[in-house]
């Protein structure tokens, strides 16, 4: 904890809150040539900060009025990280994230467990939120009586998930999710957290790719044709949200204090391990084509398996050993 505190003090002296690291729409739909087969397009560097090497305890804050079916899908996804499933699995996907280490040589943890949930249906911070609101939402969740979430600076990773009736600044316009760390002056300790919004009614064509058609973009599909890919769990918004959650979990674990693994010389706009592989879900992907993924009998696209027979479509991340984007469904 002393080392983490020193990192935080150093960061706060250089960075403003706008550094929240975001799943960027500009990057997503106007990206440079993909990095799937080349190490020349990415220069991922370790900046000596910590990674999440201790067992990771996930705490969900359900903000707004949530559909119980959507909640069950997200829970099953999060429970798939440390549970056996058919290969390629969610746990197999996490093995690439685990390749990242800190300065002691410790890898990112292979243990992710859903350890608590808090239901903020009363909208403690209102219906319109900004980036700083997320920290106040976490503060409310860890202090509300009679059943607060634990404030867990050693192992906790907090997910603020907003429902369709909540408006978040920049959501659908600039970002679909972001991660950062909390300020002790607000929350009471430094903890990594991520926010992801449900886009099913607000902007499915923006944040539920590839299950909805982006405005002005050619329709993606599992087979490279003209049909929109069908979501494996029956809802474009929640299935699109799953991939953004995976994206933010990977980057929260490899760059929790904005000083560990990222590419580029400017930490204000870094390229993190999932940013480099936006839009890539299978071999041969790029240029609006998601790559080779599987389809079930109903034509639903997926690339990993989870608990309870669930299937999910999760974007690839940068593999530091292979020096390219990679996922467990890769053909090579």
């Amino acid at each position: 904890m002393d080392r983490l505190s020193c990192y935080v003090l150093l960061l706060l002296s250089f960075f403003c809150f706008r550094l929240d690291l975001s799943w960027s729409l500009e990057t997503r739909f106007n990206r440079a040539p993909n990095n799937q087969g080349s190490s020349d397009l990415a220069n991922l560097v370790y900046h000596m900060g910590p990674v999440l090497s201790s067992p990771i305890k996930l705490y969900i804050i359900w903000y707004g009025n949530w559909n119980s079916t959507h909640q069950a899908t997200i829970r099953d996804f999060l429970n798939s990280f440390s549970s056996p499933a058919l290969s390629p699995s969610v746990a197999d996907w996490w093995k690439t994230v685990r390749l990242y280490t800190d300065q002691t040589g410790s890898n990112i943890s292979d243990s992710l467990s859903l350890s608590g949930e808090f239901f903020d249906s009363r909208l403690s911070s209102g219906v319109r939120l900004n980036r700083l609101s997320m920290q106040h939402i976490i503060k409310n969740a860890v202090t509300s009586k009679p059943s607060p979430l634990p404030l867990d600076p050693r192992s906790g990773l907090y997910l603020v998930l907003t429902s369709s009736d909540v408006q978040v600044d920049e959501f659908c316009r600039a970002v679909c999710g972001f991660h950062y760390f909390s300020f002790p002056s607000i929350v009471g300790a430094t903890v990594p957290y991520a926010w992801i919004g449900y886009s099913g009614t607000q902007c499915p064509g923006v944040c539920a790719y590839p299950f909805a058609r982006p405005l002005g973009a050619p329709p993606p599909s599992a087979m490279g044709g003209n049909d929109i890919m069908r979501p494996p769990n029956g809802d474009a918004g929640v299935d699109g949200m799953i991939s953004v959650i995976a994206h933010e979990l990977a980057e929260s674990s490899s760059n929790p204090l904005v000083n560990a693994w990222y590419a580029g010389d400017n930490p204000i706009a870094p390229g993190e391990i999932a940013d480099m592989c936006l839009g890539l879900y299978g071999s041969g992907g790029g240029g609006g084509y998601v790559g080779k993924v599987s389809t079930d009998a109903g034509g639903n696209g997926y690339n990993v398996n989870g608990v309870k027979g669930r299937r999910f479509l999760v974007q690839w991340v940068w593999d530091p050993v292979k020096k390219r984007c990679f996922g467990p469904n890769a053909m090579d």
Side-chain angles (χ1 to χ4, degrees), residues 28-321:
R28 186 169 186 79
F29 294 118
N30 299 283
R31 62 181 185 275
N34 78 76
N35 300 325
Q36 182 183 342
S38 172
S39 61
D40 298 329
L41 299 174
N43 182 26
L44 199 68
V45 176
Y46 177 53
H47 295 81
M48 303 306 290
V51 300
L52 299 187
S53 56
S54 297
I56 301 168
K57 295 182 178 180
L58 301 174
Y59 299 101
I60 300 178
I61 301 171
W62 301 102
Y63 192 86
N65 297 295
W66 271 91
N67 178 302
S68 60
T69 300
H70 298 167
Q71 289 176 310
T73 302
I74 293 171
R75 286 191 192 100
D76 287 346
F77 175 66
L78 296 177
N79 284 325
S80 297
F81 279 91
S82 298
S83 300
L86 292 174
S87 184
S89 67
V90 174
D92 292 334
W93 179 86
W94 190 252
K95 290 177 181 178
T96 302
V97 179
R98 288 205 64 237
L99 294 173
Y100 292 88
T101 62
D102 63 15
Q103 58 185 303
T104 71
S106 297
N107 293 82
I108 291 173
S109 178
D110 63 350
S111 174
L112 289 85
S113 59
L114 180 51
S115 300
E117 300 179 54
F118 184 84
F119 301 87
D120 196 339
S121 58
R122 295 187 178 182
L123 303 170
S124 61
S125 290
V127 72
R128 283 203 65 93
L129 308 176
N130 57 36
R131 293 180 180 239
L132 192 58
S133 302
M134 306 307 164
Q135 299 204 35
H136 291 285
I137 290 170
I138 296 171
K139 173 66 172 180
N140 177 68
V142 300
T143 58
S144 290
K145 305 296 182 181
S147 301
L149 288 179
L151 182 57
D152 186 357
R154 176 175 175 78
S155 299
L157 173 52
Y158 295 78
L159 299 178
V160 180
L161 307 181
T162 52
S163 60
S164 60
D165 54 333
V166 177
Q167 303 290 318
V168 178
D169 287 355
E170 299 183 303
F171 184 40
C172 297
R173 294 187 301 104
V175 297
C176 297
F178 63 77
H179 77 90
Y180 205 55
F181 58 87
S182 66
F183 301 154
S185 59
I186 297 176
V187 175
T190 299
V191 294
Y193 71 89
W195 160 77
I196 303 94
Y198 174 82
S199 64
T201 54
Q202 294 188 40
C203 56
V206 177
C207 293
Y209 174 92
F211 303 116
R213 183 176 302 177
L215 293 176
S221 79
M223 304 305 294
N226 293 320
D227 296 329
I228 293 297
M229 187 185 295
R230 295 179 181 177
N233 296 286
D235 183 88
V238 76
D239 275 302
M241 192 176 183
I242 291 294
S243 190
V244 184
I245 290 173
H247 177 120
E248 298 302 340
L249 287 177
E251 294 184 344
S252 296
S253 300
S254 58
N255 197 27
L257 297 183
V258 201
N259 62 348
W261 288 97
Y262 63 86
D265 298 326
N266 184 1
I268 296 177
E272 297 180 276
I273 70 170
D275 294 330
M276 297 181 179
C277 304
L278 288 170
L280 293 177
Y281 299 82
S283 296
Y289 172 50
V290 301
K292 179 64 175 178
V293 301
S294 299
T295 54
D296 61 21
N300 305 303
Y302 68 97
N303 62 358
V304 291
N305 296 286
V307 298
K308 302 180 183 178
R310 293 274 195 184
R311 291 164 170 169
F312 305 101
L313 187 75
V314 177
Q315 72 147 92
W316 285 5
V317 295
W318 186 260
D319 187 313
V321 176

